[in-house]
């Protein structure tokens, strides 16, 4: 293989609010020769095909002391879940030509290794899904929805679930898992288009939180047995206020506080006792050992057969990564955001 | 049996702040003939020996819509866990002469039946504990500590536990369960005498929260892997702020909000996500089926052999019930508060 242009998305500066393309993140190119890149034992080199854009990335664009994940090092490429075509390998699990899921740099060519966020694994793709699906509904966001729901929802037929960011990559799957368990599902989203999508995937009570008061909806349609929280802040407060006795609150994300906003003040937490609530924050990696095999055996099939539907919002070109990342922080994406870096 | 004087503690008025003896609760006497009291099938008549005084009683002195337990009906005797000597029985499980644990009126003589709070059961008392123990460390408060700890603490040797109201009926047992699991234990109480007691039962870091800043102690001695919350409010906030990653918060009570106080405002709950916390409110009755047999088989023995110690604060005379109840709300009791109604 001859020398090639390799683009990279570099973490240039810790943002105070929303990440700014060209400032927080910059795109750079260099020429590399894939044949001569040094691989340590256990590493493998890929041509990057797709990269996932997830809300939690904002949490890694922090000073090291301020985040629960490893902060991205300044001056180096950011990384996330992706699918790559193996070119060379010093890992016995992978050979050239394999399509491997794992953590990889935002680059055209990336040296990969197993990470605490994900161990690399070959995608057999029995069900002929697109590679982007494997960083979405069949990847980390799908695992997040599936693991968290199985572990904490304790769903019962006829009970009521409320899902915030219900049209998002994780939320839209949670909505469908709740429906499959026979629950009445309330879900919120930030545009009328997303609300329409919520109805298409079976949500019983769908509303636009920007034009409709969440607390009023929950008072009318609740009480809420299970609340899947992707946002925190006033939405969490409304769910606490309208929680059913023995309600479960699953805290998957709190995007309302990722971008430098003043933290929301909670008026009262006595409901935790008076309603004997269960509130669980979780990381998908903590539940992997328990549910991963089950997930990989069932989810791709459910997606391929349309029993569970999903929506993607694809951005073509690595150089557009920063804009894609910002859109997810602002909620202007319309489905699971994936960057298509190369077609094959 | 000839007619006898029967005293009763009547719920007279819903309090706005602390319950007031002579106003919230009034003591009345009447003459009854235990032989002629009608018993429905399943009921039994007892001479009341001991009655438990617990923090949660304040929650039942509410307007019916405002409490998670059945509110006490106005004009009728209040009730709680007690031990009685059976005089007559229309329940095949009990015969005259049995000592039975269950829910009973604050009265000298009480007609009992199985309640959602407790099913009556005969105390065999193999270990010759006092009857008062069976409404304390071997009764509901003991069950609360034991069930909640077993279900939610996920304790690990070397981890750090923090227990508020550590010298109380429940807290003092939680402290000892945590020590038995090999944890470092921090505990707070509201007087120097109680702090001294905390040290006697093995607490590593004991402090008086009225004279020492809780948050400062936790910052120095934490992070807190398990917080057992009996109080809510600023203490809960301090525990959230100093929680360890994957910390567990067990919400057993929130006495800081029982007596009409303005609810505490919580500045920030993003830690639930950033530290992936687990927060569980619970009711002892919800965990009974899972742990009751184990508890009854082990706790009385541990108490009789002094492997787990406990402290009681006995009030003699049913007519002093309201003062005893108030003392528990104010925290001026020095151990598990029990009313000795009769000696045998």
């Amino acid at each position: 293989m001859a020398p090639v242009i390799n683009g990279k998305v570099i973490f240039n500066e810790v943002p105070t609010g929303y990440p700014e393309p060209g400032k927080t993140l910059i795109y750079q190119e260099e020429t590399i020769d894939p044949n001569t890149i040094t691989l340590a034992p256990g590493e493998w080199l890929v041509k990057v095909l797709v990269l996932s854009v997830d809300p939690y990335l904002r949490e890694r664009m922090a000073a090291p002391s301020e985040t629960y994940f490893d902060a991205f090092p300044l001056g180096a490429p950011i990384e996330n879940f992706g699918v790559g075509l193996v070119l060379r390998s010093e890992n016995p699990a992978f050979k050239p030509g394999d399509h491997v899921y794992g953590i990889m740099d935002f680059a055209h060519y990336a040296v990969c290794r197993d990470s605490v966020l994900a161990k690399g694994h070959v995608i057999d793709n029995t069900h002929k899904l697109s590679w982007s699906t494997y960083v979405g509904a069949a990847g980390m966001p799908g695992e997040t929805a599936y693991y968290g729901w199985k572990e904490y929802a304790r769903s019962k037929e006829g009970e009521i679930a409320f899902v915030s960011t219900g049209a998002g990559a994780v939320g839209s799957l949670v909505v469908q898992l709740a429906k499959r368990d026979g629950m009445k599902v309330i879900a919120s989203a930030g545009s009328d288009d997303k609300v329409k999508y919520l109805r298409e995937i079976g949500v019983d009570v769908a509303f636009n939180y920007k034009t409709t008061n969440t607390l009023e909806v929950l008072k009318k349609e609740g009480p809420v047995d299970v609340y899947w929280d992707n946002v925190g802040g006033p939405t969490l407060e409304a769910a606490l206020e309208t929680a059913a006795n023995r309600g479960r609150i699953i805290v998957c994300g709190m995007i309302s506080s990722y971008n430098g906003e003043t933290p929301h003040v909670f008026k009262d937490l006595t409901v935790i006792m008076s309603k004997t609530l269960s509130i669980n924050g979780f990381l998908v990696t903590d539940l992997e050992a328990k549910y991963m095999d089950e997930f990989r055996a069932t989810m791709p099939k459910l997606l391929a057969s349309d029993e569970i539907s999903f929506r993607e919002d694809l951005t073509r070109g690595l150089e557009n990564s920063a804009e894609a990342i910002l859109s997810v922080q602002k909620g202007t994406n319309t489905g699971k955001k994936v960057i298509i870096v190369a077609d094959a």
Side-chain angles (χ1 to χ4, degrees), chain A:
Chain A
M1 199 171 178
V4 292
I5 299 290
N6 187 33
K8 291 177 173 184
V9 180
I10 305 289
F11 183 40
N12 186 57
E13 191 183 292
V14 175
T16 51
Y18 284 100
E20 293 180 50
K23 194 175 171 204
T24 308
L25 299 170
I26 54 175
Y27 177 76
Q28 289 179 345
E29 291 185 344
E30 61 184 357
T31 302
I32 59 164
D33 181 349
N35 293 317
T36 61
I37 290 172
T38 310
L39 295 179
E43 292 184 336
W44 63 99
L45 175 71
V46 298
K47 182 180 179 196
V48 177
L49 301 181
V50 298
L51 286 164
S52 181
V53 178
D54 302 296
Y56 92 99
L57 288 179
R58 176 61 183 83
E59 292 284 90
R60 298 190 68 183
M61 294 178 215
S65 64
E66 290 166 359
T67 179
Y68 54 101
F69 282 115
D70 284 342
F72 292 129
L74 282 164
I78 61 170
E79 64 171 21
N80 201 19
F81 304 89
V83 176
L85 175 66
V86 177
L87 301 179
R88 292 168 48 213
S89 174
E90 294 297 330
N91 187 315
F94 311 125
K95 59 178 194 304
D98 284 346
H99 286 87
V100 170
Y101 174 83
I103 296 296
M104 50 199 72
D105 285 351
F106 274 59
H108 291 102
Y109 297 88
V111 174
C112 302
R113 60 198 71 78
D114 288 332
S115 152
V116 290
L117 289 175
K119 201 168 172 296
H121 78 102
V122 176
I123 302 172
D124 63 12
N125 205 10
T126 316
H127 300 286
K128 308 292 175 210
L129 298 168
S130 68
W131 300 126
S132 58
T133 314
Y134 286 95
V135 296
M140 187 278 282
E143 292 175 272
T144 301
Y146 191 91
Y147 300 177
W149 186 257
K150 294 279 170 183
E151 182 73 8
Y152 297 115
R154 303 199 307 269
S155 60
K156 289 198 197 88
E157 205 176 323
E159 281 192 341
I160 299 172
F162 169 47
V163 183
S164 57
T165 70
V170 174
S172 63
L173 299 174
V174 172
V175 155
Q176 294 174 80
L177 293 172
K179 285 308 297 176
R180 290 169 71 86
D181 287 352
M183 296 182 82
K184 168 179 163 178
V185 176
I186 307 167
S188 60
S191 76
D192 291 344
D193 168 68
K194 290 179 182 177
V195 169
K196 185 166 162 283
Y197 177 65
L198 288 177
R199 295 201 180 101
E200 286 165 19
I201 59 174
V203 169
D204 300 285
V205 181
F207 66 99
N208 181 340
Y209 73 88
K210 292 178 178 168
T211 54
T212 307
N213 184 287
T214 300
L215 183 59
E216 294 307 314
V217 173
L218 298 184
K219 276 183 177 170
K220 179 163 175 276
E221 301 287 347
V224 176
D225 294 291
V226 180
Y227 169 48
W228 184 284
D229 188 21
N230 284 317
V231 299
T235 313
L236 174 56
E237 181 150 64
L240 283 165
E241 186 171 338
T242 57
N245 283 331
R246 300 183 178 77
R248 287 81 71 193
I249 294 179
I250 306 169
V251 180
C252 174
M254 287 195 173
I255 200 165
S256 73
S257 63
Y258 286 175
N259 290 287
E261 299 87 344
T262 305
H264 179 71
V265 163
F266 286 78
K267 286 192 295 287
D268 186 7
L269 290 184
T270 55
V271 291
I272 296 172
M273 183 63 228
S274 62
K275 296 177 178 175
T276 63
L277 303 183
S278 156
I279 306 174
N280 283 283
F282 78 101
L283 290 179
V284 63
T285 43
D286 288 347
L287 298 172
E288 209 167 64
K290 190 166 174 183
Y291 295 107
M292 192 174 67
D293 291 345
E294 180 184 322
F295 175 82
R296 289 191 182 157
T298 57
M299 188 58 97
K301 185 158 178 283
L302 290 167
L303 297 170
S305 64
D306 267 341
E307 288 175 80
I308 290 184
S309 72
F310 60 101
R311 193 157 77 148
E312 294 180 334
D313 179 351
L314 307 177
T315 292
R316 295 195 72 86
L318 184 66
E319 65 278 16
N320 300 314
S321 296
E323 285 293 352
I325 288 168
L326 179 59
S327 78
V328 167
Q329 294 301 317
K330 294 206 155 172
T332 55
N333 59 313
T334 56
K336 168 61 194 158
K337 175 60 84 178
V338 182
I339 297 163
I340 307 295
V341 181
D343 286 317

